[in-house]
Amino acid sequence: MLVAQAQTWVLALAATAPTPGEELPFNPDDVTPGPLGFFVFIFVAVATGLLVMDLIRRTSRVQARARIREQLQAEIAAGKAADTAAGEGPEGSGAAVPADAHPDGQAAPEAQPAADEKKTAD
C-alpha cells in the first residue's frame, strides 16, 4: 500500500518536472521567503542581540569582580607590609589579645563598626 502511494507520488513529480526547454511556471528571481521568513529572521536577529548583550553584561561583571579582588589583595598585602615594618605584627608586638576577640583573629561583631569608622578616618 505504502509502496504504491510512493510510486504514484514519484510519477506525479516526474510528470510535472520541467524539461530543459520548458519555461518555469514562476520567475526564480521573484521568489521570496514571505512574511513567515521575515518574522523568523527578525526573531533570530533579536535573540542574537539579546544574547550578545547578556554576554557583555556577564563579562563586565566578571572583570569588575576580578579588579575588586586584586585591589583587596593589594590592600591586604600593603597592610601586612606596613604592620611588619612598624613592628606591630601579631608575633612581634607582644600585645595582649582582648577577651572579646574572635577565635579567627577577627574583631568582635560589636567592635566591627568602630573599626570601619577608624579605617575611613585614615
Side-chain angles (χ1 to χ4, degrees), residues 21-91:
E22 272 186 55
E23 184 69 30
L24 294 174
F26 57 88
N27 186 356
D29 296 331
D30 291 340
V31 176
T32 62
L36 179 64
F38 175 75
F39 289 122
V40 168
F41 177 78
I42 294 299
F43 174 76
V44 169
V46 169
T48 302
L50 292 173
L51 286 172
V52 167
M53 287 175 24
D54 185 54
L55 175 71
I56 291 170
R57 183 177 55 91
R58 289 175 186 265
T59 304
S60 63
R61 185 185 308 160
V62 168
Q63 290 175 348
R65 287 179 180 170
R67 279 193 304 266
I68 291 171
R69 189 175 299 120
E70 288 174 2
Q71 288 174 352
L72 289 174
Q73 289 174 351
E75 289 175 6
I76 290 170
K80 287 181 180 178
D83 286 348
T84 56
E88 298 175 3
E91 294 85 16

